[in-house]
Amino acid sequence: LADGIPNLLQSSPYSLGESIAAAAKEGAEGEWRLPWILIHHAERAVVGVATFGRAPGAAGEVELAHAFSTEIGPAEHAGEVIAGLARWALRQPGVVKISLRAPCGGMLGESLLASIGFHREESPLESGGEALDVWSRSPTADPQPTNPK
């Protein structure tokens, strides 16, 4: 498995054991806690992990937490992964907005996230000494992008 992903899968918010146990207790809402393990088919390797962490609240918002390996060209696949998970979430009943946090100037930069329908929502936040941008996407009448440009 790529770049520390096994350790990541055992830590919050991705812990498989904790996620599965919590999901089983919560029924359909618990499905939002389960981690999506991102596998590169041709390379036969785990390239990342993502989760929504919890079901949409009363406002219909969910946040996508994500981590990508640095070994198998994550920039090539991150946009496709984020776009796919956003499309899935926005098709679920009651979801009106998906957000994510990404390091300022990191792999998930403005050109990539904007090309798949996200817009910067807030000024950078500080998290553990790292500046993070908050991005969001809502359903629109226009066709949603499926891959980064």
Side-chain angles (χ1 to χ4, degrees), residues 26-83:
E26 296 176 14
E29 286 192 10
E31 293 177 1
W32 289 90
R33 287 188 186 279
L34 295 174
W36 295 69
I37 299 170
L38 312 170
I39 300 171
H40 187 286
H41 181 73
E43 297 289 334
R44 304 187 90 186
V46 174
V47 296
V49 62
T51 184
F52 292 98
R54 61 186 165 103
E61 297 180 19
V62 293
E63 183 171 356
L64 177 62
H66 54 84
F68 294 97
S69 166
T70 57
E71 290 180 12
I72 304 178
E76 299 170 23
H77 309 292
E80 183 178 352
V81 167
I82 298 292

